[in-house]
Amino acid sequence: MLEDVKMLLGIKGTEKDSILIFVIEDCKSRALSYCKRTDMPEEMQSLIVSMAVRAYRVCGYGSETEPDTVTSFKQGDRSETYEDGAVKRDDWINDFKDRLEPFRIRKGKVPSEVV
């Protein structure tokens, strides 16, 4: 997964490997927790890679300052407005909930499963 994340981010060398490994492990933990799983299906690995790439970009890992987010942009008489990224920093995971849904383990049984 590390090599895939580096490829998608355009990172060469090993300088940022420890940060990327942290991000990948954090994404795995979040996904497995959301899905109520202890194992990770092979089909879920590409999703974890996508999540790690998004987390790295949105959260500004490897940077001492938080990334700014453009919240408005006006082209005539050019105007930009920036806001602190703290509000949106953890919202990125919501974009993946639909894709994580097939991997969720549901507690309990539906009536047709009870015999």
Side-chain angles (χ1 to χ4, degrees):
M1 280 194 264
L2 176 62
E3 292 305 315
D4 291 337
V5 170
K6 288 171 72 171
M7 175 192 62
L8 292 172
L9 290 171
I11 296 173
K12 299 185 187 307
T14 59
E15 184 179 312
K16 297 187 178 188
D17 282 4
S18 58
I19 293 171
L20 294 174
I21 290 169
F22 169 80
V23 174
I24 291 167
E25 292 301 317
D26 185 50
C27 289
K28 276 187 203 176
S29 175
R30 288 175 183 237
L32 293 176
S33 176
Y34 178 79
C35 294
K36 300 177 182 154
R37 300 185 75 96
T38 55
D39 65 318
M40 188 174 72
E42 188 175 326
E43 300 84 5
M44 195 183 218
Q45 289 183 10
S46 64
L47 181 55
I48 300 298
V49 168
S50 297
M51 289 173 68
V53 168
R54 175 83 60 87
Y56 183 84
R57 288 180 176 153
V58 169
C59 297
Y61 288 110
S63 175
E64 292 181 20
T65 59
E66 292 184 15
D68 289 329
T69 305
V70 176
T71 56
S72 68
F73 179 79
K74 181 180 171 187
Q75 198 164 9
D77 295 330
R78 190 174 176 113
S79 173
E80 296 177 7
T81 305
Y82 293 90
E83 73 174 22
D84 184 325
V87 174
K88 299 191 184 263
R89 211 174 25 232
D90 284 334
D91 290 347
W92 63 269
I93 197 160
N94 291 329
D95 296 341
F96 293 96
K97 285 186 177 178
D98 286 343
R99 292 183 59 198
L100 286 169
E101 204 58 38
F103 299 105
R104 285 191 86 183
I105 294 177
R106 308 258 185 241
K107 301 250 180 192
K109 297 183 178 191
V110 296
S112 63
E113 295 176 326
V114 178
V115 178

